[in-house]
Amino acid sequence: MVILISNLLRRSLRFAAPFGLAVWSVTAPAQSNEQEGSLLAYPLAAGDATRVEVKVAFVSDGYRRGPCKIVESSGDERADAQACRTVSFYKTDKPLYAVTSAWLMPEFEGEFVAPKLKNSKKVVLAISNSYPRYELSKGHQGATSVKLLIDSAGKVTNCITAQSSGYATLDSVTCKQMMRAKYNSAQLNGEPTDSIVYTNVFWGAGSGPPEP
């Protein structure tokens, strides 16, 4: 069973935006990732974000990301900033190289205010207690990035896996829990609007990289 570490509970109250959740097994150290802002958020009417690839190098204890740097850029600074959060990191003392996804913001006109998660504590608790037992017992871990469709009232109406953790069950649980998230309405030119939010959840069991 996965428990929520008290330190994560305290930090969850300081979330500035609804992104970058992380969960750990019961053996995890009492630390959590700092909140780093959104992966991506924009009006639904703007259309689809463009997926790009970024190569990164990282070191990790398998529960939280350690030093991470861009090795091969996507050519877009904002997309590159997402890469060290979307990558599935593993326990490694030496730099491990990986290619991960990031997304380019579609163009739109007007002043946009992104939706903000209202029940972050509840969402963190739900995700932290839902690590599938089989996946945890096998040491399966990874980062699931999802695309959320949010209506003008702040309700999540759909969740789509944008980048898989490598394990369908972890991806499925991520969407199941994120569908329960509640947001304040996004605003476009001062009016409520439907929006899209990209966010991610890291499932960490302290494991090393999977066998090739």
Side-chain angles (χ1 to χ4, degrees):
M1 179 179 180
V2 176
I3 61 172
L4 185 68
I5 301 165
S6 61
N7 193 40
L8 177 57
L9 269 171
R10 290 195 296 272
R11 283 179 158 175
S12 70
L13 300 177
R14 292 159 43 193
F15 278 6
F19 313 95
L21 305 178
V23 293
W24 292 269
S25 70
V26 292
T27 57
Q31 298 186 34
S32 67
N33 291 342
E34 290 288 352
Q35 185 63 16
E36 301 173 80
S38 68
L39 287 177
L40 201 64
Y42 57 89
L44 176 64
D48 294 329
T50 302
R51 178 183 173 273
V52 294
E53 291 186 340
V54 185
K55 188 174 183 178
V56 301
F58 65 87
V59 175
S60 172
D61 63 2
Y63 295 110
R64 59 186 184 270
R65 189 189 68 236
C68 178
K69 67 177 183 179
I70 306 299
V71 177
E72 293 181 8
S73 171
S74 67
D76 184 274
E77 184 176 345
R78 289 184 298 179
D80 289 351
Q82 302 167 26
C84 283
R85 296 180 52 206
T86 64
V87 67
S88 289
F89 47 92
Y90 302 94
K91 184 177 181 180
T92 175
D93 296 325
K94 297 180 179 180
L96 188 64
Y97 294 85
V99 174
T100 189
S101 295
W103 293 270
L104 303 178
M105 180 89 74
E107 294 184 359
F108 60 89
E109 295 182 355
E111 183 178 349
F112 177 68
V113 178
K116 293 185 178 180
L117 186 61
K118 297 193 295 185
N119 61 337
S120 61
K121 182 178 178 181
K122 184 176 181 180
V123 171
V124 170
L125 277 168
I127 293 175
S128 297
N129 287 300
S130 59
Y131 207 138
R133 187 172 300 178
Y134 174 80
E135 306 295 349
L136 181 59
S137 70
K138 295 295 184 180
H140 293 167
Q141 67 179 62
T144 301
S145 295
V146 295
K147 174 184 176 181
L148 304 178
L149 278 63
I150 303 173
D151 69 17
S152 59
K155 180 181 178 181
V156 179
T157 59
N158 198 9
C159 175
I160 302 166
T161 300
Q163 177 173 257
S164 175
S165 64
Y167 301 99
T169 303
L170 296 182
D171 299 340
S172 176
V173 172
T174 298
C175 268
K176 178 181 178 181
Q177 297 302 337
M178 290 308 301
M179 285 293 295
R180 299 175 179 176
K182 297 179 180 179
Y183 289 82
N184 291 320
S185 300
Q187 302 281 320
L188 183 62
N189 297 325
E191 297 293 332
T193 187
D194 297 345
S195 60
I196 290 178
V197 165
Y198 281 77
T199 184
N200 71 306
V201 172
F202 174 68
W203 302 90
S207 302
E211 295 293 330

